[in-house]
Amino acid sequence: MILILANEEAMNINKRCIDEDLNRSFPGNSEGNHEKKLALKILEELDDCNYVLDIHSTTAKTESFIITTTLNEHTHHFAEKIPLKKLIFMENNITNKRSLIDHVKCGVSIEFQEMETFEFVKKTIIQILNNLRLKDGKINNTPKEIYSVYGTIKK
């Protein structure tokens, strides 16, 4: 297991980013700005990982949810192990293939509602890790509501 705190430099100065949003900097560029270089380094670190869980917080007025940009048996299997109810499929025309999960073998993002408690986030992540370790598949599946985002109304 690899744990990456993605943009420590930005965190240290209490900012979202140094030059641009890391969440839109993938697949990265060795000649690019801070976040582009960081994105490339992160992908190199994750190259051998079977699953990538990209954790975020959101200020949206919604409960916490899962995001995937690929709907296939692998991401579905991964999402089943996450004890959250809402699964959002974002088509590539939304992400423009610039998010981390667009460039890994099997990745999903979780958007934790900003007001969630630390204990809830910690418990959820521990449950996901435990569920991924199970060989017999005996997990308490949370039934999923699956939504598709296929366009933007306003930018």
Side-chain angles (χ1 to χ4, degrees):
M1 180 171 72
I2 299 170
L3 176 64
I4 298 172
L5 179 57
N7 202 342
E8 289 183 74
E9 290 84 357
M11 186 188 75
N12 288 337
I13 60 170
N14 202 28
K15 300 249 181 188
R16 181 173 172 85
C17 59
I18 301 296
D19 298 311
E20 71 177 278
D21 189 347
L22 178 60
N23 296 327
R24 301 294 170 259
S25 299
F26 290 90
N29 182 331
S30 62
E31 303 298 319
N33 62 33
H34 173 75
E35 278 77 14
K36 294 278 188 196
K37 290 176 184 174
L38 189 54
L40 185 63
K41 183 179 175 184
I42 289 169
L43 285 181
E44 289 169 356
E45 288 284 322
L46 300 176
D47 190 47
D48 293 329
C49 292
N50 292 323
Y51 298 101
V52 173
L53 181 61
D54 189 17
I55 301 171
H56 299 262
S57 65
T58 182
T59 58
K61 302 295 183 232
T62 183
E63 63 192 76
S64 299
F65 57 92
I66 307 161
I67 297 174
T68 184
T69 57
T70 308
L71 277 181
N72 61 36
E73 67 181 274
H74 301 293
T75 55
H76 181 73
H77 175 74
F78 191 8
E80 282 182 335
K81 298 184 181 298
I82 300 173
L84 298 174
K85 184 170 57 172
K86 295 186 186 310
L87 172 62
I88 313 299
F89 169 60
M90 287 195 172
E91 295 190 11
N92 286 330
N93 63 325
I94 302 294
T95 65
N96 293 321
K97 300 210 51 90
R98 295 185 332 203
S99 69
L100 170 62
I101 62 174
D102 290 320
H103 300 279
V104 295
K105 293 174 190 166
C106 182
V108 299
S109 293
I110 294 182
E111 292 282 349
F112 283 105
Q113 212 294 323
E114 187 178 53
M115 302 312 281
E116 290 288 9
T117 66
F118 172 77
E119 283 306 313
F120 175 82
V121 173
K122 178 180 162 185
K123 178 182 168 193
T124 302
I125 293 169
I126 289 171
Q127 188 172 351
I128 294 166
L129 294 174
N130 287 335
N131 288 345
L132 286 169
R133 289 187 195 107
L134 291 175
K135 301 289 187 230
D136 60 7
K138 292 182 181 176
I139 62 172
N140 292 327
N141 285 340
T142 302
K144 303 291 185 247
E145 296 174 6
I146 302 175
Y147 300 86
S148 178
V149 177
Y150 52 86
T152 57
I153 296 173
K154 180 180 176 183
K155 283 192 175 187

